[in-house]
Amino acid sequence: KAELAARRVPIRSPPHQPVGASWLEAAIRYFLLAARADSTYLPAAMALGQVVLDDHFGTETLEALRQLRPALDTTERDPAPFLLLGRLAFDADSYVTAHTGLQGYLARGGDTAVGFFEDARALYALHRRAAAESSYYAGATYASQAGDALYRNDIGWIADSAELQAYDTLTSPASR
């Protein structure tokens, strides 16, 4: 159902689709049912969280967090669920949980640039400005495609097109 929504397939009402529900609403419903049926089933909790995060279903953010937390006990080394936890918690204004999730992401070998960038946002929201600044600049020194995209998008709020063009010519994270 999430894939049907992503491909913009027109909505129909098959027997298993709730009347009036969009593909995304139906996907969230079924991911939620799967996560509730087995709270340790990480794929359902991850899919639910990702759909909620990607499509800004704010009303479902807390429920996605509730379903993701128990499933985290089943993962030992995979950093991805912890990044999702951090991002969902940040969206839910739960900054301590966001910071904790992002620390778990980094501790499990997640992308350092992404982890530090996201953690800087949580730390700033917690009014820990010095730690946020340190985390932000530390993350900028690591090269990764995902991290570079986050930092470029972030400076895009204040940089003009000439400054962004100059930023794009810098090849090493240290020069940025």
Side-chain angles (χ1 to χ4, degrees):
K1 303 237 181 252
E3 184 63 27
L4 293 171
R7 293 179 186 263
R8 306 234 184 265
V9 172
I11 299 169
R12 333 180 250 129
S13 292
H16 60 280
Q17 176 89 357
V19 175
S22 71
W23 291 124
L24 282 177
E25 290 167 328
I28 288 171
R29 179 174 180 245
Y30 290 116
F31 287 142
L32 204 57
L33 287 171
R36 287 178 180 158
D38 181 358
S39 64
T40 64
Y41 186 55
L42 188 59
M46 289 282 297
L48 171 65
Q50 199 60 57
V51 168
V52 167
L53 190 64
D54 289 348
D55 293 294
H56 308 291
F57 272 86
T59 57
E60 301 295 338
T61 303
L62 291 175
E63 187 60 34
L65 273 171
R66 269 190 227 97
Q67 298 306 318
L68 185 58
R69 284 185 180 123
L72 287 176
D73 292 338
T74 65
T75 182
E76 301 241 349
R77 296 297 313 157
D78 185 13
F82 291 88
L83 177 60
L84 184 58
L85 172 69
R87 286 176 168 171
L88 280 170
F90 186 86
D91 277 6
D93 299 333
S94 182
Y95 306 121
V96 171
T97 301
H99 173 62
T100 303
L102 293 163
Q103 290 299 302
Y105 173 73
L106 289 166
R108 285 163 180 78
D111 182 322
T112 308
V114 171
F116 279 137
F117 177 88
E118 296 287 355
D119 199 31
R121 294 184 334 133
L123 290 166
Y124 187 81
L126 289 167
H127 306 288
R128 295 176 52 193
R129 292 187 176 34
E133 184 178 327
S134 176
S135 182
Y136 186 88
Y137 289 118
T141 65
Y142 291 92
S144 78
Q145 194 171 18
D148 290 349
L150 286 172
Y151 280 93
R152 188 186 192 285
N153 186 52
D154 195 46
I155 66 166
W157 288 97
I158 57 170
D160 62 28
S161 58
E163 291 169 322
L164 283 175
Q165 215 170 13
Y167 177 84
D168 290 339
T169 64
L170 302 173
T171 57
S172 73
S175 63
R176 292 182 179 172

